[in-house]
Amino acid sequence: MAEQIFTETSRFKTAVQLINELESNRFPKLLSRIAEKLHLREEHAFSEEEQIKLQLALGIGSEDRSLLLETIEFILLQAAYYGLKPATLHQHLLSVNLSVEKSEIISQTWASYGKATVEKMKKHSFTHSQLESVSWHLNLQLAQDNKTQVKESNAIFHLNLKKSEIGKAEKLSLELTHKELLHFYNKLEILQDQLDSLS
Amino acid sequence: MTDPRERSFFIGKSTPAEVRLLSKHLKTTKKEVFDKLVTVACMMLTSGDANHEMFSEATKSIEAEQIKHLYPGILTIVRRGACVPMNLLKEKDFLYDLSEMKIPEKFHGSLVSAVFGESRSSLDEAAYLGRPRLPSIEEFRWRVDVGISTTSLKRALEPTILCNIKTDQNESHTFEMSKEKFHELRYAVAEVLNHIQQLEKRSVLKIET
């Protein structure tokens, strides 16, 4: 173990003590809940109400409750950051004096949720504008005001873009003729080749 | 020649007002003036950004009164004549309709050459290019990036694609796509292409009109 993943600050030590003293029967469920929501940057695992209920159920004060949830979250986030295997995580937790029992439960939770969480985190992006979905419809133009008997096929695409500012979305509307579509497709094929050569 | 009772005039159900106005004033019109106005009409229809200056410049040798009486009718005739595909409107029928609208024979020549002559293809081209449509892709640029690490992950190694689409309306859109979204886009484009190719094979479109 080359790196120290967890530094034993006094706050951290207090948290470890808290964790060790918790009853084990509720612990796995608590962990699963936190692990599930870990990849969501905006949401917390428990709502305000739920946090108060949790406090009462665990028999701890509100400050302790915050510390507890924060620390567990921190442990799992660090596991994600360093890409730790469950066994490695277990070792690290033992080295900062978490009880064997609790360390096991934590690393087991990480074993179940770890991979999926990391994958989701990989997809996070905070770019200005991201493609969210594509919708299209195909038209056959039959006539226009200065031309009758037209038989031109064209396709309309909506590229739905998600913006980094919450609530704003942009719809990019494009119309492509057959020829333009082919041209576009060829460009996408070149892009695909590039992607393939990466893996 | 098709029996005139079996087809309608190329100009529409009845003679438009501007054409009736035109026919009233043709007795006193010189052929050169008429021909010039036909040329102007073709020019205005073919040019992508026809404007008033262009028109004034081209018609400066003609009296305003004459332009008022003659041009609208001429423009309508040329427009409607070029509206129907060439193989659907026969020259003979066109000439018959012109006579029915009381346009004397000496003026037929320039109208026929406008609608059926060499400049017809540029009229068609202009009609095609000027059709109402949504923006198209003028330029598509892309870049593949691989994110090495982020705030949440020391080792991410996730490829993303950064795109820029410039439309023919001069709008520039830059956005990012994940690999999965790119596949969605590529699939959509391929699917549409497939549908178009099938559509164009169908007999409805093959019937030569």
Side-chain angles (χ1 to χ4, degrees):
Chain A
M1 257 177 350
E3 269 173 289
Q4 259 293 70
I5 303 229
F6 303 107
T7 0
E8 291 187 88
T9 59
S10 64
R11 201 169 144 80
F12 192 77
K13 283 192 190 153
T14 322
V16 168
Q17 218 183 341
L18 257 178
I19 295 176
N20 286 341
E21 282 166 9
L22 269 182
E23 280 174 26
S24 292
N25 54 355
R26 284 209 168 81
F27 200 54
K29 255 188 140 179
L30 174 69
L31 274 178
S32 305
R33 184 72 182 271
I34 297 179
E36 269 166 22
K37 303 271 183 165
L38 198 67
H39 67 281
L40 298 167
R41 312 195 74 223
E42 313 292 324
E43 268 178 64
H44 288 292
F46 297 94
S47 67
E48 284 300 315
E49 281 175 37
E50 290 170 323
Q51 286 193 34
I52 296 177
K53 278 194 201 146
L54 195 64
Q55 226 174 278
L56 295 170
L58 296 174
I60 50 177
S62 81
E63 252 190 60
D64 281 350
R65 177 251 305 164
S66 303
L67 179 61
L68 177 71
L69 293 179
E70 235 178 73
T71 311
I72 296 176
E73 226 180 77
F74 176 70
I75 291 174
L76 294 175
L77 283 173
Q78 287 289 79
Y81 183 77
Y82 288 98
L84 296 179
K85 293 209 200 26
T88 326
L89 176 62
H90 186 55
Q91 288 305 311
H92 276 286
L93 291 174
L94 290 176
S95 79
V96 288
N97 300 314
L98 258 151
S99 69
V100 175
E101 197 190 1
K102 297 292 186 329
S103 298
E104 252 179 45
I105 299 177
I106 296 179
S107 20
Q108 266 168 30
T109 312
W110 186 242
S112 326
Y113 288 92
K115 214 159 178 215
T117 306
V118 169
E119 282 306 308
K120 287 187 199 138
M121 281 174 154
K122 277 186 180 177
K123 307 288 178 199
H124 277 167
S125 176
F126 47 86
T127 6
H128 182 58
S129 191
Q130 283 176 69
L131 180 67
E132 192 156 34
S133 61
V134 178
S135 47
W136 56 266
H137 73 247
L138 177 59
N139 293 320
L140 184 62
Q141 185 194 351
L142 297 177
Q144 57 192 78
D145 61 345
N146 48 8
K147 217 162 171 230
T148 59
Q149 308 286 333
V150 176
K151 285 186 287 276
E152 286 281 326
S153 48
N154 59 60
I156 297 189
F157 280 87
H158 284 315
L159 299 181
N160 298 306
L161 303 176
K162 189 170 75 170
K163 298 285 195 186
S164 54
E165 292 157 42
I166 303 174
K168 282 201 175 180
E170 192 187 327
K171 191 155 66 173
L172 177 55
S173 303
L174 299 166
E175 188 181 314
L176 299 165
T177 60
H178 189 175
K179 207 169 92 171
E180 288 164 350
L181 258 176
L182 262 176
H183 198 58
F184 188 45
Y185 184 69
N186 289 331
K187 291 211 167 145
L188 293 180
E189 283 293 279
I190 297 175
L191 224 183
Q192 180 64 51
D193 285 339
Q194 266 308 307
L195 278 180
D196 290 339
S197 74
L198 271 182
S199 41
Chain B
M1 184 174 84
T2 339
D3 185 342
R5 284 163 300 177
E6 278 180 6
R7 66 169 184 90
S8 45
F9 293 145
F10 78 87
I11 203 103
K13 231 172 65 164
S14 55
T15 312
E18 61 268 22
V19 176
R20 276 185 269 129
L21 180 67
L22 169 70
S23 57
K24 269 196 219 130
H25 287 89
L26 282 178
K27 290 193 195 73
T28 52
T29 307
K30 289 207 190 81
K31 187 171 183 307
E32 300 84 56
V33 173
F34 187 88
D35 290 353
K36 178 96 183 78
L37 285 174
V38 173
T39 320
V40 172
C42 287
M43 179 193 78
M44 294 301 278
L45 286 171
T46 13
S47 150
D49 44 347
N51 57 23
H52 193 65
E53 280 100 52
M54 207 189 245
F55 184 73
S56 304
E57 182 59 32
T59 54
K60 62 183 178 199
S61 58
I62 311 174
E63 277 171 31
E65 274 299 300
Q66 260 200 319
I67 299 176
K68 223 170 62 174
H69 292 145
L70 304 175
Y71 186 73
I74 292 176
L75 185 64
T76 303
I77 292 175
V78 175
R79 274 193 93 218
R80 302 241 43 118
C83 192
V84 186
M86 273 220 278
N87 47 10
L88 273 187
L89 175 65
K90 302 198 181 36
E91 206 178 303
K92 286 186 188 154
D93 295 334
F94 180 70
L95 291 170
Y96 180 85
D97 288 355
L98 285 181
S99 305
E100 287 290 301
M101 293 189 281
K102 314 231 186 324
I103 313 275
E105 265 189 44
K106 73 171 182 178
F107 300 111
H108 289 187
S110 53
L111 288 173
V112 167
S113 71
V115 172
F116 295 94
E118 282 171 9
S119 49
R120 173 59 186 269
S121 55
S122 22
L123 281 174
D124 285 343
E125 177 81 10
Y128 177 69
L129 293 174
R131 71 193 190 283
R133 59 169 301 176
L134 288 174
S136 69
I137 299 178
E138 175 91 2
E139 203 186 343
F140 174 68
R141 293 184 303 162
W142 54 267
R143 193 176 95 178
V144 175
D145 290 318
V146 177
I148 300 180
S149 61
T150 69
T151 17
S152 345
L153 298 168
K154 192 170 178 195
R155 213 123 199 79
L157 293 178
E158 181 70 13
T160 53
I161 300 156
L162 189 68
C163 290
N164 175 272
I165 292 184
K166 202 167 128 212
T167 65
D168 63 350
Q169 306 291 320
N170 261 325
E171 295 161 356
S172 180
H173 300 269
T174 310
F175 57 91
E176 191 187 84
M177 290 194 271
S178 65
K179 259 201 325 188
E180 288 76 27
K181 293 299 171 194
F182 169 68
H183 288 139
E184 254 183 60
L185 177 63
R186 189 166 152 255
Y187 180 74
V189 174
E191 201 182 351
V192 179
L193 262 175
N194 190 26
H195 281 299
I196 287 190
Q197 278 160 359
Q198 293 204 22
L199 185 65
E200 290 181 351
K201 274 194 210 148
R202 290 215 184 142
S203 52
V204 173
L205 294 177
K206 276 210 182 126
I207 295 173
E208 254 315 313
T209 42

